[in-house]
Each structure stands twice: as structure tokens, then as C-alpha cells.
Amino acid sequence: MRIAACVTALDGTEKFLIGLADGKKVESVLIRHKRTVCACLSSQVGCAMKCAFCATGLMGFQRNLSVEEIVGQFDLMESVGVKITNVVFMGMGEPLHNYDSVVGAVNLLRKKGLSWQKITVSTVGLPDGIRALGRDVQCRIAWSLHAPNDVLRSKLVPVNSRFPIQDVVMALLDFPARRKNEVMIEYVLLDGVNDSLEHAKELAVLLKQLPFVVVNLIPYNSVAGIEFRRPSQEKCVAFKQALIDAGFKTIVRTTKGLDADAACGMLSTRSLVQVAARD
Ligand code: SF4
């Protein structure tokens, strides 16, 4: 494995194109905060989930990564001289669709000294995988929800037709008590699609079933070839306030990495391949 290319955003976020032994490539991201450095790791080359707004979904599924290839992204990024404090599995791929390798990687990262509170596995919502994860390994979990009802969610996240919202809620309620306290809800805000106050209120009703969630709102970063657009700042603020008024801790992900096209779940190797070809 090697770093084939790296671009740095204005805010210091670094996006890496990682070359694998068979010539395939994945992306990994380093996000720097005041006291922490978070690594966003890929678990697959491409993704089979085909979420309608996602650049990785456009690539289709190519193959799973091994434990070594997942942790290798961590090692390569540390080799540029940073100490990674947190890991999120929010890069390319659906982590629970590559279950054994992801569990192996979490265990290996814990052996490297990361506590379970510093490792988050983000899933689109595969109920059996969520239950298995809660049984097999200690880590935090995030659910990429993106819509407050099944009709809309099935359009945005096709796997919802197989595993509807309520099935995922039941699986999350089965997640071990200490860790389900930390469920992160990821919600990409798409202009005119899922960002109205009615959607926010519907989301609040849905989330009342889950104790201690934190909602992470992600204003969409436009992707070439995909029709969705980013909502206005005012709409994002109003959506956030509606959730806060309903009693939920809610954050809007800042534009970290925006100019490097480094939003989680939005990765495609296309732009970085161009950088690698240039260098
Ligand atoms: S958003 Fe995540 S699960 Fe959906 S297609 Fe993209 S990488 Fe896969």
C-alpha cells in the first residue's frame, strides 16, 4: 500500500488517495480539530448500497478491504507525522457489509491504544450487522438515516426497502446499553428533498424512540453527475433549531474538507486520481 496522492483543504483537512497492491484505490481523510485528529477510513472499494446522493455509490461495489488494508490507511496517515486520536468508519463502503474485516480492524486499532469510545462504525442500517457488532466488539455506532420516513428513505437509501427504519431502530435498541447511549444519527441535508421543518418534526418523533442520540446534520456537498443540491444556510439553521427545540443535541457539520471534496460518504477516487496523474 502507498499514498498515491494527497490534497489539503483550506482548513487543514487532508484527503489521501491510497493505492492498494492490486492497483485499486480508496480514499481516507484526516480531519483536524483543536485537540483531536480524526481519521476517516474506507472499508470497501466502492459500495453496493447505491445511496442516491453518494459519489461512492456511483462507483458500484468492487471488493472488500482486508483488515490489513483498513488499518494500513491508519498507519499510512500516521506515517506523515500525525498522531491520530479518533477513527470513524465513514469512508468508502458500508462497514457492516464487510463485517469480519471491520471487526478485525477495530480490534487491531484497540491494540494500538485507541479506546472503544474513540472508534465509531457508521452504517446505513443493516440490523443483523448492528446486533452482531454489539455482541462481538466494543465501539460506538452511527446510523446514516437521511430521511424521517420509509417512503423518502427508500428513494435516497435503496437498502431501506429491505431493512426499513423500524427494523433498524429495534436493532439499535438491542445494542449494548453503555454503547447505545452514544448513537450518532447522520443526516445529509438535501435542498428541497429532506430539509423542511415538517421533515425535522417527523425526524424528532422518530428519534424519540432512541435514548441519547446526537444528530449530525451534513449540508450536502454537490457531486458532479448527481442532481442534489446543498440547502441554504438559513434552511440548515432552521432544521437544526427544530431538532434542538424538540430536545435533541444537534450539530451541523462545518465545511471541514469541503474544498477538498472530503465529506464522509461522498468519497470517490476520481478527483484524486487526477491529482496523482498530474504529480
Ligand atoms: S453513503 Fe455510504 S452506504 Fe451509501 S453508497 Fe455511499 S458509501 Fe455506500
Side-chain angles (χ1 to χ4, degrees):
M1 290 175 67
R2 67 188 178 91
I3 297 174
C6 175
V7 290
T8 304
L10 291 175
D11 62 10
T13 299
E14 290 157 84
K15 185 174 171 188
F16 296 84
L17 181 70
I18 307 286
L20 305 172
D22 64 356
K24 295 201 180 297
K25 296 181 176 64
V26 293
E27 287 187 12
S28 320
V29 181
L30 266 188
I31 304 162
R32 297 169 193 263
H33 300 281
K34 266 188 200 141
R35 288 188 210 85
T36 58
V37 179
C38 183
C40 177
L41 304 182
S42 292
S43 55
Q44 298 178 313
V45 183
C47 183
M49 299 296 131
K50 299 193 184 319
C51 298
F53 50 83
C54 176
T56 308
L58 275 183
M59 296 171 64
F61 174 72
Q62 297 186 21
R63 73 167 172 86
N64 282 328
L65 298 186
S66 66
V67 174
E68 293 71 25
E69 287 171 326
I70 295 171
V71 179
Q73 298 165 60
F74 177 97
D75 292 337
L76 280 172
M77 288 191 284
E78 282 216 323
S79 73
V80 301
V82 293
K83 180 70 187 157
I84 294 169
T85 60
N86 297 62
V87 166
V88 292
F89 287 82
M90 288 187 190
M92 295 176 133
E94 161 53 47
L96 299 184
H97 195 218
N98 182 16
Y99 184 81
D100 290 342
S101 292
V102 167
V103 167
V106 170
N107 285 328
L108 195 48
L109 289 167
R110 294 199 60 205
K111 279 189 191 144
K112 285 176 176 283
L114 286 181
S115 70
W116 67 266
Q117 293 99 330
K118 306 291 184 192
I119 303 172
T120 302
V121 173
S122 175
T123 177
V124 78
L126 309 183
D128 287 350
I130 291 169
R131 289 192 176 91
L133 192 74
R135 190 182 59 229
D136 295 344
V137 74
Q138 277 204 310
C139 62
R140 286 183 168 177
I141 193 156
W143 180 22
S144 298
L145 179 56
H146 308 315
N149 61 64
D150 282 320
V151 173
L152 179 54
R153 190 166 193 262
S154 293
K155 288 181 189 155
L156 299 176
V157 182
V159 76
N160 189 77
S161 302
R162 272 182 73 200
F163 304 116
I165 287 172
Q166 209 52 36
D167 287 7
V168 184
V169 167
M170 298 314 286
L172 289 170
L173 287 170
D174 285 344
F175 208 67
R178 195 157 62 100
R179 282 168 279 155
K180 80 183 173 199
N181 287 351
E182 306 290 341
V183 173
M184 173 75 81
I185 303 297
E186 306 280 335
Y187 193 103
V188 171
L189 287 167
L190 305 164
D191 189 31
V193 176
N194 65 353
D195 63 342
S196 70
L197 286 180
E198 287 67 36
H199 289 127
K201 287 176 191 159
E202 197 178 1
L203 180 62
V205 171
L206 163 63
L207 294 180
K208 288 271 189 240
Q209 299 178 77
L210 291 168
F212 307 114
V213 297
V214 177
V215 184
N216 189 14
L217 299 174
I218 309 157
Y220 187 62
N221 289 334
S222 295
V223 172
I226 297 180
E227 66 191 28
F228 298 111
R229 295 286 167 264
R230 184 188 187 92
S232 67
Q233 175 85 356
E234 292 71 31
K235 281 175 99 175
C236 296
V237 169
F239 197 96
K240 175 186 176 187
Q241 193 58 48
L243 289 173
I244 290 173
D245 291 345
F248 294 99
K249 182 175 175 189
T250 306
I251 49 181
V252 177
R253 189 180 295 169
T254 54
T255 55
K256 276 192 175 301
L258 179 60
D259 60 320
D261 190 25
C264 296
M266 308 286 165
L267 301 179
S268 91
T269 55
R270 189 172 36 190
S271 57
L272 276 177
V273 166
Q274 288 164 359
V275 172
R278 226 170 39 221
D279 290 348

